[in-house]
Amino acid sequence: MLRALGKITPTPGTPIQVTSLIAGAQASEPCHGVMIQARKGNVGVAYVGNSAMSRAAETGLFAQLAIPTANTIPSFTAALTLAPNAINLADLWIDVDSNGDGVIVSVLIA
């Protein structure tokens, strides 16, 4: 089942765990796949990383989502279709460069 989790709008420099969108989230929130897309109105870069991510040092990053344009909206996707529920959403964190910027998160779950 495809599930839209919603938007995450972190304070710049304060990463937010993707599971913050899930009421009663556990330490392990498994899914088949995830898509994280920059919000259309972003004016800075959005970052996808792990719990140790540092956008300044560029460590712990999985992706840097550039500023959207009229023709493109950057996204990060991960899927393990041969290993059901092998991705743990609790391992994904979001940070941004500018106030008000954020991402939209969708997941594929069993």
Side-chain angles (χ1 to χ4, degrees), residues 31-32 79-87:
C31 70
H32 291 312
L80 290 171
T81 56
L82 296 177
N85 289 328
I87 296 172

Side-chain angles (χ1 to χ4, degrees), residues 38-86:
R39 290 185 58 219
K40 184 178 172 183
N42 282 3
V43 296
V45 175
Y47 302 87
V48 181
N50 60 29
S51 61
M53 74 184 291
S54 167
R55 54 193 177 106
E58 295 184 335
T59 57
L61 296 177
F62 300 129
Q64 298 179 51
L65 306 181
I67 300 168
T69 68
N71 298 320
T72 62
I73 298 180
S75 65
F76 165 82
T77 59
L80 290 171
T81 56
L82 296 177
N85 289 328

